[in-house]
Amino acid sequence: GENVEQHPSTLSVQEGDSAVIKCTYSDSASNYFPWYKQELGKRPQLIIDIRSNVGEKKDQRIAVTLNKTAKHFSLHITETQPEDSAVYFCAARIISGTYKYIFGTGTRLKVLA
Amino acid sequence: DAMVIQNPRYQVTQFGKPVTLSCSQTLNHNVMYWYQQKSSQAPKLLFHYYDKDFNNEADTPDNFQSRRPNTSFCFLDIRSPGLGDAAMYLCATSRDGGVGTQYFGPGTRLLVL
């Protein structure tokens, strides 16, 4: 079945360092890959996304890369700040009659001041 | 400005007492989703509507039902809540085709006593 693996499950970095979270998807028909940030008790917030026809996308300190051949995509956060601390979820949109999203298991990021 | 609205934000019910959660959207999106999210876990898709077409996930318990009377509204009915159903319930919408970005509501936290 369709699934998305996400690693690591927890990640601690020093403030100012970079953080990288990796995901692997199984359905080669997936064509859209969003990343969500979720703070405690709040809704998932879309922070960046990438389509299957693009290899990389950047938005200020956040970037996402996609390797379609390997079915990998990664989130890169540079110059991390304490407010980046949250749980991050990757997702892959699949097409099985209609569009639905498969979520990764999440990464708890802690940025240490 | 709210785009996806969920009511109530907090719901307390008794074991076995039916409960209904509601979701409304101002985006005119044709796809609506219901997710269950338990602490420290990824959102788990329960079902979704593509227009009026209902799509149930294979592992969604029969205890969970949904209704979508029109484009704007979608309801989640839990017929006989158990202690294991205590969770955050997230509604989301997306437009089929096009960008496909998924927008989440703020969630309803359900407590079962």
Side-chain angles (χ1 to χ4, degrees):
Chain A
E2 311 106 356
N3 78 300
V4 175
E5 292 185 5
Q6 183 171 347
H7 299 282
S9 57
T10 60
L11 179 60
S12 293
V13 299
Q14 288 294 132
E15 182 177 1
D17 287 351
S18 295
V20 181
I21 303 170
K22 299 183 179 182
C23 289
T24 304
Y25 61 97
S26 60
D27 187 348
S28 56
S30 296
N31 63 355
Y32 172 69
F33 307 92
W35 283 90
Y36 295 91
K37 174 184 180 183
Q38 188 175 29
E39 296 175 345
L40 189 62
K42 297 189 176 180
R43 79 186 84 186
Q45 293 273 14
L46 179 71
I47 55 172
I48 197 166
D49 54 13
I50 191 166
R51 298 182 165 285
S52 57
N53 59 350
V54 176
E56 184 174 357
K57 183 176 177 181
K58 190 172 182 182
D59 182 4
Q60 299 183 338
R61 297 187 297 110
I62 297 173
V64 57
T65 58
L66 171 65
N67 182 330
K68 278 185 64 179
T69 304
K71 293 191 271 189
H72 290 169
F73 58 113
S74 299
L75 177 71
H76 305 254
I77 306 174
T78 58
E79 301 171 24
T80 53
Q81 301 166 2
E83 51 265 39
D84 294 330
S85 297
V87 179
Y88 290 81
F89 293 101
C90 64
R93 188 176 71 179
I94 63 169
I95 305 167
S96 59
T98 184
Y99 292 101
K100 66 178 186 180
Y101 297 78
I102 305 297
F103 280 79
T105 48
T107 296
R108 183 173 299 279
L109 174 65
K110 293 182 184 178
V111 179
L112 307 170
Chain B
D1 260 87
M3 297 185 290
V4 184
I5 303 162
Q6 290 188 246
N7 285 303
R9 295 292 308 279
Y10 300 91
Q11 176 73 56
V12 181
T13 191
Q14 291 178 333
F15 183 94
K17 186 173 180 182
V19 66
T20 295
L21 311 182
S22 77
C23 177
S24 63
Q25 53 133 337
T26 59
L27 298 163
N28 204 33
H29 283 171
N30 56 344
V31 191
M32 293 187 78
Y33 308 81
W34 279 105
Y35 291 91
Q36 179 193 65
Q37 187 177 30
K38 296 188 176 181
S39 182
S40 303
Q41 296 182 19
K44 178 182 181 297
L45 183 64
L46 296 173
F47 24 60
H48 70 285
Y49 276 93
Y50 180 88
D51 292 325
K52 285 194 171 290
D53 293 334
F54 177 71
N55 299 270
N56 198 31
E57 292 301 296
D59 57 354
T60 298
D62 292 340
N63 198 25
F64 292 85
Q65 304 286 319
S66 186
R67 297 169 281 136
R68 189 179 186 186
N70 54 52
T71 300
S72 301
F73 285 87
C74 195
F75 300 96
L76 170 62
D77 300 308
I78 309 177
R79 294 193 296 189
S80 181
L83 298 178
D85 296 328
M88 174 78 88
Y89 289 87
L90 293 161
C91 174
T93 73
S94 74
R95 188 191 309 280
D96 188 15
V99 178
T101 302
Q102 192 174 59
Y103 295 86
F104 282 90
T108 294
R109 183 163 294 283
L110 178 68
L111 181 62
V112 182
L113 301 177

